[in-house]
Amino acid sequence: MTNNFQRFAMLIGKDKIEELNKKKVIIFGLGGVGGSLAEALTRAGIGHFTLVDKDSFDETNLNRQLFATYKTVGMNKTDVAKEKMLSINPNAEIETRKMFFLPENSDEFDFSQYDYVVDAIDNVTAKIALILKAKKEGANVISSMGMGNKFDPTQIKIDDIYKTSVCKLAKVMRKELKKRGVTDLKVAYSTEIPVKPLFIAEGNDERTPGSSPFVPPCAGIIMAGEIIKDLL
């Protein structure tokens, strides 16, 4: 075991660090939630990753996305994340896929080879398809609900999708997953009543949410902690 995992090993044991180093996690979406989650899992000792995202960073990401800096604006998110993660653990194996997960390309992924599947994407249709595939292939999966228009990170919770409240995205997901026979799903969601944006940002419309510097990253770290607990 290398020294970069020494302090965590003091809490869980050296043997558990070795176990985590063998685990494989696939992360869909490297934005405010997914970026912080990816870094936290790297620091926890996960040794094998697949990162899936087609987006590049822009200035609007700077307020909340861990890998976003003026230096990385315009760069693909998977490339930036991989470089940062390898700077933390050079021994990690990281595959990048510059694409969005969609129902029509779902066959390009085999979730049975992963110890955990992470849904940190925004598109409802894609989220449903991703979750259905993960469930069908017997994979552990955790999904992020809506973190936009939220200000208080202490109201983020981990629970089953059918026990969620307040979150509009979770309400839609509950309805659609129930139709498709999904009986359970571990999610991160916020019980905070959404904050109403004070104005419409330039180049956007009323559907574009505001986003705080702390809620999405905290959601990612909380999800990472839940993944580690499950894997241990």
Side-chain angles (χ1 to χ4, degrees), residues 158-164 174 183-187 189:
I158 299 287
D159 212 331
D160 186 84
I161 184 70
Y162 295 108
K163 295 180 180 180
T164 58
R174 287 197 307 268
T183 59
D184 62 277
L185 174 67
K186 184 173 287 191
V187 301
Y189 77 106

Side-chain angles (χ1 to χ4, degrees), residues 124-125 128-129 132 162 172-183:
V124 173
T125 300
I128 292 169
L132 290 175
Y162 295 108
V172 172
M173 294 295 291
R174 287 197 307 268
K175 179 179 178 181
E176 295 303 320
L177 291 175
K178 186 175 183 180
K179 285 181 185 177
R180 293 161 173 81
V182 175
T183 59

Side-chain angles (χ1 to χ4, degrees), residues 18-34:
E18 297 302 322
E19 286 183 25
L20 292 176
N21 185 250
K22 298 174 183 177
K23 300 299 184 181
K24 299 180 68 175
V25 176
I26 184 167
I27 303 171
F28 291 89
L30 291 167
V33 175

Side-chain angles (χ1 to χ4, degrees), residues 46-172:
I46 297 296
H48 306 267
F49 294 91
T50 299
L51 308 177
V52 187
D53 200 320
K54 190 178 180 179
D55 266 344
S56 298
F57 289 109
D58 62 46
E59 288 188 351
T60 66
N61 303 147
L62 289 166
N63 80 307
R64 69 196 181 282
Q65 297 192 17
L66 187 66
F67 301 129
T69 67
Y70 273 108
K71 183 178 178 180
T72 64
V73 166
M75 297 174 65
N76 179 264
K77 291 183 179 181
T78 61
D79 291 338
V80 174
K82 179 177 180 178
E83 181 178 358
K84 177 66 179 297
M85 291 160 71
L86 288 175
S87 74
I88 297 166
N89 180 13
N91 295 318
E93 294 183 359
I94 303 175
E95 175 189 4
T96 59
R97 305 284 299 273
K98 295 180 177 65
M99 60 189 295
F100 293 128
F101 180 91
L102 298 168
E104 51 265 34
N105 63 28
S106 63
D107 289 342
E108 296 183 30
F109 298 93
D110 176 12
F111 289 169
S112 65
Q113 67 176 298
Y114 295 99
D115 297 288
Y116 232 106
V117 176
V118 178
D119 161 33
I121 57 181
D122 298 325
N123 183 283
V124 173
T125 300
K127 289 177 85 71
I128 292 169
L130 191 158
I131 291 160
L132 290 175
K133 181 177 177 64
K135 291 289 186 180
K136 180 180 179 181
E137 297 180 3
N140 293 315
V141 58
I142 189 167
S143 179
S144 174
M145 297 294 103
M147 298 298 163
N149 291 336
K150 301 296 177 87
F151 194 83
D152 182 3
T154 67
Q155 296 194 51
I156 299 168
K157 296 184 177 182
I158 299 287
D159 212 331
D160 186 84
I161 184 70
Y162 295 108
K163 295 180 180 180
T164 58
S165 60
V166 179
C167 178
K168 291 182 179 180
L169 176 57
K171 181 179 180 180
V172 172

